[in-house]
Amino acid sequence: MADITRRLGAHHLRSAPTAHIRHHKRGRLVHDGPGLSFWFRPLSAALSEVPVDDRELAVTFHARTADFQDVAVQATVTYRISDPALAASRLDFAVDPDTGSWRGAPLEQLGSLLTESAQQNALDVLARTPLAEALADGVSSVRERISEGLAGEPRLPATGIEVVAVRVIAIRPEPEVERALRTPARERIQQEADRATYERRAVAVQRERAIAENELTSRIELARQEQELVERRGANARREAEENAAADAVRAEAEAARTERLARAEAESARTVGEARAAAQASWLAAHSTVDAATLHALAATRLAENVPRIESLTLSPDVLTGLLAKLGQHGGHHGDARS
């Protein structure tokens, strides 16, 4: 909206750079251009303000698909007024010289034109598209159809309007249909989640099984190694016992041989000693065989005396002494006869 101030019966207009001002005075165009600032008399002035900036128009309407399902289409049309003079001649952009506001609603008229054209083109494409396809790929097809339809709309260039861009924000079915359509998708998502959970649990169980199998394998290997250790220890013990037995047998054989040698030596020594003693005894007997009995008795008494304990004192009775003297007398007589 133009900024208009009053000073001493004259008015001053100042517009924005995005507003194209047309000033007619007594039917003659005096000022024409964007961002103008000038003085004018309200009684003789006719003012028009045409916006030349890019403007966005939100478009919302209902349509029916090929399978008779109602959908709501939300779109945005970006446009600009490329020919302000032509637009001012076709639409009422006149402003009040006292307030600077539009006398009519030109932008509403322009919006209705764009909305009707966009709706008509969207209805054409949706009427030939089933609901599922419209929800899946309908946004791009509807956008292309609206762009082509607005570009080929003859009323827009005739009004000085240029469409900059078209965006289709959403195509949505009725709430009941949308809930019904969401149910299978939610079920699939839930199934996917359940399958993922099951696979995760299966992987966990498989990992636990693998861990248990590894532990069991480790225990079996440990038991096998322990068994081998026991067997080796037993074999070593048997080998040691056999070696000890063999060593004992060798020692026993050596001891037996030594004992046998000792016994033979002792026997040989005893035999030699016996033979020597026998020879000595024979010599002794041979030596004493020529000696008389009295001498032998004396020798026997001497030997006996050597072996008899020491006698400190000896008491002879008269009877013993008489007998001994008689024996001595007998021996003396024999000796005299011998000498004769």
Side-chain angles (χ1 to χ4, degrees):
M1 185 176 66
D3 182 15
I4 297 178
T5 57
R6 289 177 290 180
R7 293 291 185 276
L8 301 175
H11 291 59
H12 182 270
L13 182 144
R14 184 178 58 187
S15 65
T18 57
H20 189 97
I21 302 297
R22 291 175 64 85
H23 175 209
H24 290 80
K25 181 178 180 182
R26 297 187 180 90
R28 183 172 57 88
L29 183 61
V30 180
H31 297 94
D32 185 17
L36 298 180
S37 177
F38 54 88
W39 291 91
F40 67 94
R41 292 184 176 276
L43 296 178
S44 60
L47 300 174
S48 297
E49 182 182 9
V50 180
V52 293
D53 58 337
D54 291 350
R55 292 181 172 265
E56 292 188 351
L57 174 66
V59 179
T60 302
F61 55 89
H62 291 272
R64 179 167 294 183
T65 61
D67 47 1
F68 305 101
Q69 298 295 325
D70 292 335
V71 293
V73 180
Q74 296 179 356
T76 301
V77 177
T78 303
Y79 68 95
R80 72 167 64 98
I81 300 176
S82 59
D83 191 344
L86 182 58
S89 64
R90 299 294 299 272
L91 299 175
D92 186 10
F93 285 97
V95 297
D96 190 329
D98 293 328
T99 61
S101 59
W102 281 313
R103 296 181 181 272
L107 295 182
E108 293 182 3
Q109 296 177 5
L110 187 57
S112 298
L113 176 62
L114 292 172
T115 300
E116 291 175 358
S117 180
Q119 183 175 358
Q120 181 179 359
N121 289 279
L123 292 176
D124 291 341
V125 67
L126 289 174
R128 298 188 300 270
T129 305
L131 177 62
E133 184 179 349
L135 295 178
D137 301 325
V139 172
S140 59
S141 60
V142 170
R143 181 181 63 250
E144 293 175 359
R145 186 67 182 86
I146 292 177
S147 299
E148 294 175 357
L150 292 178
E153 176 62 41
R155 293 182 297 173
L156 298 180
T159 314
I161 307 301
E162 178 184 357
V163 176
V164 178
V166 176
R167 297 189 303 276
V168 176
I169 300 173
I171 298 176
R172 303 188 62 177
E174 294 182 349
E176 295 81 3
V177 177
E178 186 174 6
R179 283 193 298 268
L181 293 174
R182 286 179 179 178
T183 301
R186 289 181 178 177
E187 290 180 355
R188 286 195 300 270
I189 294 173
Q190 186 63 39
Q191 290 175 0
E192 292 291 335
D194 295 340
R195 183 167 61 255
T197 302
Y198 174 77
E199 291 177 354
R200 185 169 60 253
R201 291 179 180 176
V203 170
V205 171
Q206 185 175 1
R207 290 179 179 175
E208 291 178 357
R209 184 184 299 110
I211 293 173
E213 290 178 356
N214 291 334
E215 292 179 353
L216 180 60
T217 303
S218 300
R219 291 179 181 177
I220 293 174
E221 181 64 20
L222 181 60
R224 186 184 63 79
Q225 293 178 359
E226 291 179 352
Q227 183 179 1
E228 291 181 356
L229 180 61
V230 171
E231 291 177 356
R232 291 182 180 179
R233 287 179 177 175
N236 293 336
R238 286 194 301 271
R239 188 180 299 109
E240 184 178 0
E242 292 175 356
E243 292 177 355
N244 292 334
D248 293 340
V250 172
R251 285 194 296 270
E253 291 178 359
E255 185 68 22
R258 188 177 66 83
T259 303
E260 183 179 358
R261 288 193 300 272
L262 289 176
R264 289 178 181 177
E266 290 178 356
E268 184 66 22
S269 177
R271 185 179 62 78
T272 303
V273 171
E275 290 177 353
R277 287 180 180 178
Q281 189 70 24
S283 298
W284 186 82
L285 290 175
H288 288 75
S289 63
T290 60
V291 180
D292 57 358
T295 303
L296 293 174
H297 288 164
L299 291 173
T302 301
R303 295 295 298 273
L304 181 62
E306 290 176 358
N307 296 319
V308 173
R310 183 178 180 181
I311 300 174
E312 297 293 337
S313 62
L314 179 63
T315 303
L316 298 175
S317 64
D319 295 334
V320 175
L321 183 59
T322 303
L324 290 175
L325 290 175
K327 290 181 178 180
L328 289 174
Q330 295 176 358
H331 287 293
H334 293 305
H335 286 293
D337 292 336
R339 284 194 298 271
S340 295

